[in-house]
Amino acid sequence: QVQLVESGGGLVQAGGSLRLSCAASGRTFSSLAMAWFRQAPGKEREFVAAITGSGGNTYYVDSVKFRFTISRDNAKNTVFLQMNSLKPEDTAVYYCAADPLLNKVRAGPDNLNAWGQGTLVTVSS
């Protein structure tokens, strides 16, 4: 079973940047597709970005394309989410998730293999 721990959230002004990290342990990291989801108050958890085990392919929800970048360092068992040009509507708890199957992480939050505890990102206007 993989364990995930996120870090890097905080308060930032609109237009600013944050970098989230998710450290993984417990199984072969490079065999896992990794993803970031977010959940704003009163809303459902939504897919933000995903990356294949090798890091060769990435996927984004339209609302964050060209502003957010997902990456991974398999030597350090860590996945990152670089968030630039942040907007107030990006305010949410951000969760890291993992699954051996890329299609599952891209499909949504249901039945994924592992989740982190979440890290709060607040963007002020």
Side-chain angles (χ1 to χ4, degrees):
Q1 183 70 20
V2 64
Q3 291 82 43
L4 304 174
V5 179
E6 301 100 334
S7 61
L11 174 64
V12 63
Q13 289 188 334
S17 298
L18 280 175
R19 189 193 197 201
L20 306 183
S21 299
C22 172
S25 62
R27 65 176 291 170
T28 305
F29 182 67
S30 61
S31 71
L32 296 170
M34 301 294 297
W36 289 95
F37 289 78
R38 65 186 179 185
Q39 188 165 17
K43 295 188 177 181
E44 294 186 349
R45 193 170 298 190
E46 68 167 348
F47 170 83
V48 175
I51 188 167
T52 54
S54 67
N57 293 92
T58 57
Y59 307 87
Y60 300 92
V61 68
D62 286 347
S63 60
V64 308
K65 281 182 180 177
F66 312 115
R67 297 190 298 123
F68 290 11
T69 302
I70 188 171
S71 62
R72 65 191 296 159
D73 183 342
N74 285 346
K76 296 183 177 179
N77 285 7
T78 303
V79 64
F80 305 98
L81 186 68
Q82 178 66 44
M83 305 185 295
N84 299 329
S85 302
L86 282 161
K87 304 175 181 180
E89 52 263 43
D90 294 317
T91 295
V93 177
Y94 283 71
Y95 296 91
C96 175
D99 199 277
L101 300 177
L102 175 65
N103 286 344
K104 284 183 67 180
V105 297
R106 293 188 66 193
D110 295 334
N111 302 316
L112 297 183
N113 182 264
W115 288 93
Q117 82 288 353
T119 186
L120 177 63
V121 172
T122 303
V123 184
S124 63
S125 57

